[in-house]
Amino acid sequence: IRGLYINSESSDHQALFCTIVHTATIKNLTVVADINADGYSAAIVASNYGKISGCTAQGTIATFNGSGGIAYRNDNTIEYCTNEASVPCYNQCETGGIVGLNYNTINCCVNKGTITNTGAYGIDVGGIAGGNYAIGSISNSYNLAAVTGSGYVGGVVGNLDNGSVTNCYNTA
């Protein structure tokens, strides 16, 4: 899908899909997006409770309060996905190449897009995930692009609050 254009600085949860439920699967989808939103946004889905597999995000996802290339929040499974989008955030943000917030499983994912936080207080900024919480598991994934900001900033995960990170690396 090319030409997903969203310019809504006063709205949040902007993406091709706002939310997908536990029984839903998004597979083998590439989205070229130009998103400018308040926050909690991504190219594919804002809040993932289902399964995302083999998807790619391209373009720009710019927000003031949190974003991710593939999804803003992950509560189920994201696998074999690639982010090539630039993901800038301009305020207090949970921002990551694949997701801003991870609460479940990310496996075999790659970030190739620059991740930046220019706000005074970047909360969690990472190449794969801004933050990893609860039972969040990130495995077999890597970051190839620059990650910059303030607060908790990491090549793979900005804030490893809980959960696990295995067999991941950062080359940027």
Side-chain angles (χ1 to χ4, degrees):
I1 296 175
R2 295 188 184 281
L4 175 62
Y5 176 75
I6 300 171
N7 186 15
S8 183
E9 290 182 7
S10 62
S11 298
D12 57 22
H13 294 89
Q14 302 297 306
L16 181 62
F17 301 98
C18 180
T19 301
I20 63 168
V21 297
H22 291 86
T23 56
T25 298
I26 298 173
K27 190 172 182 180
N28 302 328
L29 176 66
T30 297
V31 175
V32 181
D34 181 5
I35 297 173
N36 186 20
D38 179 51
Y40 322 122
S41 300
I44 310 286
V45 63
S47 295
N48 177 44
Y49 298 95
K51 182 177 181 179
I52 302 173
S53 181
C55 293
T56 301
Q58 298 174 334
T60 303
I61 299 102
T63 66
F64 291 91
N65 292 300
S67 55
I70 301 296
Y72 166 65
R73 179 181 174 126
N74 178 45
D75 283 279
N76 200 331
T77 302
I78 297 176
E79 61 184 12
Y80 305 105
C81 290
T82 300
N83 176 57
E84 298 173 355
S86 169
V87 186
C89 190
Y90 307 114
N91 196 4
Q92 297 185 31
C93 306
E94 302 95 354
T95 304
I98 302 300
V99 300
L101 302 172
N102 183 48
Y103 291 92
N104 210 313
T105 302
I106 296 173
N107 185 40
C108 297
C109 291
V110 179
N111 177 57
K112 297 179 181 179
T114 57
I115 311 302
T116 57
N117 179 303
T118 58
Y121 304 102
I123 298 174
D124 305 330
V125 184
I128 299 298
N132 195 61
Y133 305 100
I135 61 167
S137 169
I138 301 173
S139 58
N140 307 309
S141 299
Y142 55 95
N143 175 53
L144 301 176
V147 179
T148 58
S150 58
Y152 298 109
V153 179
V156 175
V157 177
N159 182 5
L160 180 58
D161 184 66
N162 214 336
S164 65
V165 176
T166 54
N167 199 32
C168 295
Y169 63 91
N170 171 55
T171 63

